[in-house]
Amino acid sequence: MRVRPLVALKKTVCGSALLLMAAGCSGKTQAPAAPPPREVEVLTLAPSEVRDTGEYLGSLLSRQSVTVLPQVNGYVRRILVKPGQKVEAGATLLEVDSREETAALDSAQAQHSSAEVSRDLARRTYARTEALYKEGLASAQEMEQGRAQLEAAEAAARAAAAQVAQRQVQLQFHAVRAPFPGTVGDVLVRLGDFVSATTPLTSIAQADVLEVSVSLPSERARALKPDTALEILDSQGNVVLTSTLFFVAPQADPRTQLVEVKAAFQNTVGLRPSELVRARVVYSRHEALQIPALAVVRLSGQPFAMVVQEKDGKTVVERRPIALGMLGNMAYVVENGLKQGDRVAVSSLQALRDGMPVKLKTAEAPATQVTAPGASAAGSR
């Protein structure tokens, strides 16, 4: 007996339908359970300090630095210091051959001794002549001659004493001394070298107190105040020294149109003169709302924040457009769209949808500082 294919297909379909109806009658299917609210970290907005800063390249300068030159001509006989050595004021750095000057001093001292002997003899002679003149045994002419000889002897003694003092001062110039306490630079001469008054011997720099010189854009320099803070940063951006500006150039550099500013500080971290450092100028401080940069969602270029609200007895998120100000290290300044006390989600942002219920977890507010656009473009002088 042949079975037609169409009849067989109808029987199969009818059988499947009967099986499904039987299964439906045996029990009811349950709808899947709703997923639990997603846990998100929430930050409550509150005003905090915002610093308007600019980072630049600064150059360190020693407040006391000098190139040491000799004051006499001669050969170097002794070198008493080494490069990098710290010396006190008046310490002898090196000595120039002084044998000729020593001999000249000895000669001047001998002449001074001879002049003093002649002066003493003239005094005694004048005293005897004066006594004889009172008794009428010496003439007025002899009296005048005795006085003149005494005055000449006294003048010769003073001249000899001045010559001795001059030679002593000149002899001191053969010992080259440190004008102030500091660190010795490279010693540029060797034993036996002939030096003159124009020969550089070494240098002395004081690193206890340093100045940092920074060049700022003219438009930013106009906003400076006498108490403007300047910070020295290390390679990781941490503040190592802080001071205030004491000098703002009255005119801009005609070539670069930059304005030089300076600050002085106690060098407690081992910085060196002529070193280049990162310097940050704090132009102003004010209070403002801030939102972490990672809490900002952008759609077609428009920034949004996921604000947490209570609605119909549920905690849900609302996507709200906001206006942002300048970007700091970790957060934006909020100019519009949010107010103090608003709660914004700072985690799981990609999974959040407008009106979606959430479970709250408190997050910490980040600190920030605002850097003006293009602030780090200027360098040191």
Side-chain angles (χ1 to χ4, degrees), residues 16 27 30 130 166 247 277-278 282 303 340 348 362 371:
S16 300
Q30 297 181 351
E130 185 178 20
Q166 180 182 2
F247 171 77
V277 294
R278 295 170 62 184
V282 183
Q340 181 178 353
S348 305
T362 305
T371 302

Side-chain angles (χ1 to χ4, degrees), residues 131-188:
L132 292 175
Y133 176 75
K134 292 178 179 179
E135 295 178 0
L137 300 178
S139 62
Q141 182 179 3
E142 291 174 337
M143 185 67 178
E144 292 295 332
Q145 290 177 349
R147 182 183 294 109
Q149 290 174 356
L150 175 59
E151 292 176 353
E154 289 178 343
R158 290 195 298 271
Q163 188 70 15
V164 170
Q166 180 182 2
R167 292 298 181 182
Q168 288 175 340
V169 172
Q170 194 71 15
L171 183 61
Q172 292 178 358
F173 292 158
H174 288 260
V176 181
R177 304 180 185 277
F180 50 79
T183 304
V184 179
D186 188 18
V187 179
L188 305 176

